[in-house]
Amino acid sequence: MSTTPPVLAAELALAWADIQRHHPELPDLAAPESLIGESSSACGAELSFERLLHEAVHGIAAARGVRDTSRAGRYHNRRFLAIAEELGLDHIEEPHPSSGFSLVTLNPEARRRYRSTIERLGRALKAHTAATATDTTRSFRGPAARHGSSGGGVRVKAVCDCGRNVRVVPSVLAQAPIVCGGCGKPFRIPEVAAVG
């Protein structure tokens, strides 16, 4: 099995498609590779099938026009939790003061439903991690790597023609376009942001 990011992106896309089979209203994943190296303390730092299902909750919330977070996306509210439960995620504790119901876990039924997908994605993630961690002695990876972040670099604002914006690591955007769900055009990094 190849361990290049495009192969991992393909496995992420297949896993997303599996979730869509069970939840047809889930929008397509515009750029699976944007999840590789993505880190968010509110949504969970480690990429896994559970994290992918968490992101699917946000996708369904967006498709339904449901505001599932507040505080710049950090606080996951009860509307997020209701959709998470539909997708097979549970939250067994009281909400966290700053991230709300973000720390959801797969319930046993969802674990059974997605067993083969979880295993396949797990193998791809393990191979990708092994392939990208082999040059630790001589490569400079910057402060993010030194402090344990999997963010892969500094995020900058990328915009689309309709005025929406996202924060993205430029190298991720360079791998393939990230397409706006509102206008269908690709996000781009404005020249002013790219110079600084």
Side-chain angles (χ1 to χ4, degrees):
M1 171 186 348
S2 174
T3 56
T4 60
V7 171
L8 179 54
E11 289 295 338
L12 287 165
L14 287 172
W16 192 264
D18 192 19
I19 299 168
Q20 284 179 310
R21 275 191 286 284
H22 297 281
H23 303 281
E25 70 183 302
L26 177 63
D28 291 339
L29 183 59
E33 61 276 2
S34 68
L35 293 172
I36 301 170
E38 176 65 19
S39 176
S40 167
S41 60
C43 295
E46 185 176 316
L47 184 56
S48 63
F49 182 78
E50 195 168 76
R51 169 76 189 279
L52 196 63
L53 203 56
H54 175 124
E55 294 303 330
V57 173
H58 292 303
I60 288 177
R64 293 178 182 174
V66 172
R67 187 172 176 189
D68 63 339
T69 63
S70 59
R71 301 181 196 163
R74 289 185 305 274
Y75 190 87
H76 293 58
N77 59 35
R78 290 191 185 278
R79 290 179 292 259
F80 169 85
L81 182 59
I83 298 170
E85 288 172 347
E86 289 177 38
L87 270 68
L89 294 167
D90 291 333
H91 188 278
I92 56 174
E93 300 175 11
E94 289 297 311
H96 186 275
S98 63
S99 62
F101 296 99
S102 69
L103 300 176
V104 287
T105 58
L106 274 169
N107 68 29
E109 181 184 331
R111 194 170 300 282
R112 280 189 300 276
R113 177 185 313 135
Y114 295 112
R115 188 176 128 249
S116 63
T117 301
I118 292 167
E119 290 170 357
R120 191 178 64 239
L121 182 58
R123 286 190 300 271
L125 286 165
K126 187 175 180 179
H128 175 73
T129 300
T132 57
T134 57
D135 63 349
T136 57
T137 57
R138 299 196 42 92
S139 297
F140 177 72
R141 295 175 184 243
R146 288 196 311 271
H147 296 292
S149 168
S150 61
V154 176
R155 291 184 188 91
V156 298
K157 183 165 80 171
V159 297
C160 71
D161 289 344
C162 71
R164 297 179 73 211
N165 66 71
V166 296
R167 289 253 179 226
V168 63
V169 177
S171 63
V172 170
L173 192 59
Q175 292 174 5
I178 297 174
V179 180
C180 175
C183 69
K185 295 189 177 172
F187 284 93
R188 59 183 167 64
I189 299 172
E191 294 301 318
V192 175
V195 172

